[in-house]
Amino acid sequence: MSPQVSIVVTCYNQAHCLDQAVTSVLNQSFADLECLIVDDGSTDGTREVAQAWVTADPRVQYFYQANGGVSSARNLGFQQARGEWIQFLDGDDWIHEDKIRFQLSHLDALDRPEDTVFYSDYERVFLDESHNITRRESKTVGPLSCDRIVHRLLIPDFLADTPFPTLQQCLLMHRSVFAKKHFDEALRALQDRDFAIDLLLSGVRFVYTPIQGAYYTKHKSNRTNAWSYMKDYYLLLYETVYRKHPEVLKSSQRGVEYLLEEAMREQDTEHFHRLLKISQCPVRLFQPSITFDHVLLLRLFFYLKPLIPNQLLYPSCRGPRSERALKTMARFLKLGGLSEVS
């Protein structure tokens, strides 16, 4: 007989923390589950740790694949999962012991289980180089409409003032949702945002369950800490969303404007021209001092940027004379009906 819940633990070189993740799965108050460990090409002792769990508990299975990224590992895990409900968990995170039972208890309020995703609050756990906890932050997501979730998913976390709403570790999903969407293996980062946006816009309902369901670790060595790495994937995410759901691109405006400023500052021609294709005027740049009402002016400004002193563009560099010069420049641009001071 198939278990009611399948929990897929994906891991890559996480032998040192895999025990904690698997223990949190097997210690759930809801026992009718299976634990699938998917090893994404680890070269440390992950296989040995996983095999020990397979020997110790019949609910545990182990699958290995050549390194293909977390999206590929999750897709493999779903293919092997037998449960009606699916939970994904990264190998360095863990879940609350009552998470599954508590989320499934909300089924009583629903007319049907199909096309349902439960989501929850979580705790962010910061670790040092020795994997010691240095700080913990509780993140209360709360009940949100579809539109509000999509809007938040399109804003980079460092520009937002609310928690990330659909952390994968917090979700419990009916397997029917995978008929609508799998993880995009072309996205090596931000795949959770693309995944949730597609589900939400296809009519899948996201139901809030008020429990601190997951413990999400943050390491200093995480690649997602490096903006030079992440900005490429934010641009790819916005391009992907624009291709599939142009009607919600407006929600990404804040992130697109930030990327435009970065492209101008670094004179990154490739990124700039890709961003122009998904920009919706008016565009407000430089916190925001100048409003661009036409892409032609954005192009002109990009090529003039090396000639403009930073004092005119960045508030932290400005004095009174710079403020006056900026207003004069903005009035000049406004004469053409293309830009104005915000």
Side-chain angles (χ1 to χ4, degrees):
M1 181 180 296
S2 298
Q4 189 172 357
V5 176
S6 297
I7 301 181
V8 178
V9 180
T10 56
C11 51
Y12 174 69
N13 288 343
Q14 292 169 325
H16 60 284
C17 53
L18 185 57
D19 279 343
Q20 185 173 34
V22 176
T23 298
S24 76
V25 172
L26 299 180
N27 284 350
Q28 286 294 298
S29 58
F30 184 90
D32 186 16
L33 57 80
E34 64 177 354
C35 176
L36 285 68
I37 302 173
V38 180
D39 182 349
D40 187 34
S42 296
T43 57
D44 62 352
T46 294
R47 181 188 294 271
E48 289 73 23
V49 174
Q51 292 288 8
W53 280 109
V54 171
T55 302
D57 195 308
R59 294 175 295 172
V60 181
Q61 300 179 64
Y62 172 69
F63 301 92
Y64 177 89
Q65 68 169 23
N67 182 252
V70 66
S71 292
S72 174
R74 288 173 179 168
N75 287 337
L76 173 60
F78 170 70
Q79 292 167 14
Q80 300 296 331
R82 297 176 295 148
E84 180 184 5
W85 293 89
I86 311 294
Q87 152 101 48
F88 292 101
L89 180 65
D90 292 344
D92 55 350
D93 301 325
W94 65 97
I95 53 177
H96 189 282
E97 64 183 7
D98 202 34
K99 177 184 186 294
I100 303 300
R101 184 209 64 79
F102 183 79
Q103 291 187 306
L104 288 179
S105 72
H106 287 71
L107 280 171
D108 295 338
L110 303 180
D111 57 343
R112 57 185 176 81
E114 290 79 17
D115 291 342
T116 297
V117 173
F118 293 118
Y119 67 101
S120 74
D121 307 322
Y122 60 98
E123 183 177 271
R124 199 168 196 183
V125 182
F126 295 83
L127 305 177
D128 62 18
E129 294 86 347
S130 301
H131 307 289
N132 297 312
I133 296 175
T134 60
R135 192 167 85 253
R136 307 176 82 125
E137 294 179 358
S138 293
K139 301 293 184 180
T140 302
V141 178
L144 299 171
S145 67
C146 170
D147 288 345
R148 286 185 64 190
I149 296 177
V150 170
H151 179 76
R152 174 59 181 84
L153 292 174
L154 289 169
I155 300 175
D157 289 341
F158 62 88
L159 295 178
D161 55 6
T162 57
F164 184 74
T166 58
L167 189 71
Q168 193 63 221
Q169 295 86 330
C170 294
L171 306 186
L172 182 61
M173 299 172 280
H174 193 271
R175 70 179 300 118
S176 59
V177 307
F178 291 91
K180 300 177 181 290
K181 175 70 176 177
H182 283 71
F183 291 95
D184 188 341
E185 297 183 18
L187 290 171
R188 305 284 288 196
L190 306 178
Q191 57 278 102
D192 289 358
R193 297 175 190 247
D194 170 76
F195 181 80
I197 288 170
D198 279 2
L199 291 182
L200 286 158
L201 295 179
S202 70
V204 171
R205 58 183 167 186
F206 278 58
V207 178
Y208 173 62
T209 55
I211 183 175
Q212 190 166 278
Y215 302 87
Y216 169 51
T217 59
K218 190 72 170 176
H219 310 262
K220 288 186 177 181
S221 59
N222 282 4
R223 287 186 299 177
T224 53
N225 292 334
W227 177 243
S228 59
Y229 173 80
M230 291 302 297
K231 67 179 179 181
D232 294 334
Y233 284 102
Y234 271 107
L235 176 51
L236 182 57
L237 173 68
Y238 293 147
E239 290 173 327
T240 302
V241 170
Y242 178 71
R243 185 180 69 252
K244 295 186 292 187
H245 311 291
E247 71 278 7
V248 302
L249 187 64
K250 186 176 180 62
S251 292
S252 68
Q253 185 81 350
R254 190 174 180 188
V256 169
E257 289 175 348
Y258 187 90
L259 290 174
L260 276 169
E261 278 198 35
E262 287 279 294
M264 286 188 177
R265 181 175 62 82
E266 298 173 1
Q267 287 294 284
D268 188 332
T269 304
E270 179 196 351
H271 273 203
F272 178 74
H273 287 291
R274 287 169 63 186
L275 286 161
L276 281 185
K277 295 178 182 178
I278 59 174
S279 296
Q280 294 184 332
C281 289
V283 170
R284 296 173 177 83
L285 302 182
F286 308 111
Q287 301 189 7
S289 298
I290 303 176
T291 300
F292 298 85
D293 291 324
H294 199 287
V295 293
L296 291 177
L297 188 65
L298 278 170
R299 289 179 186 274
L300 174 62
F301 201 88
F302 178 79
Y303 292 108
L304 290 177
K305 167 67 174 62
L307 305 177
I308 301 173
N310 286 338
Q311 294 93 319
L312 296 182
L313 300 178
Y314 304 105
S316 61
C317 300
R318 291 179 199 156
R321 294 176 61 185
S322 300
E323 290 286 356
R324 289 194 295 271
L326 179 62
K327 291 179 180 179
T328 300
M329 180 176 65
R331 282 196 297 270
F332 170 76
L333 294 171
K334 186 178 179 181
L335 291 176
L338 298 177
S339 177
E340 60 183 1
V341 175
S342 297

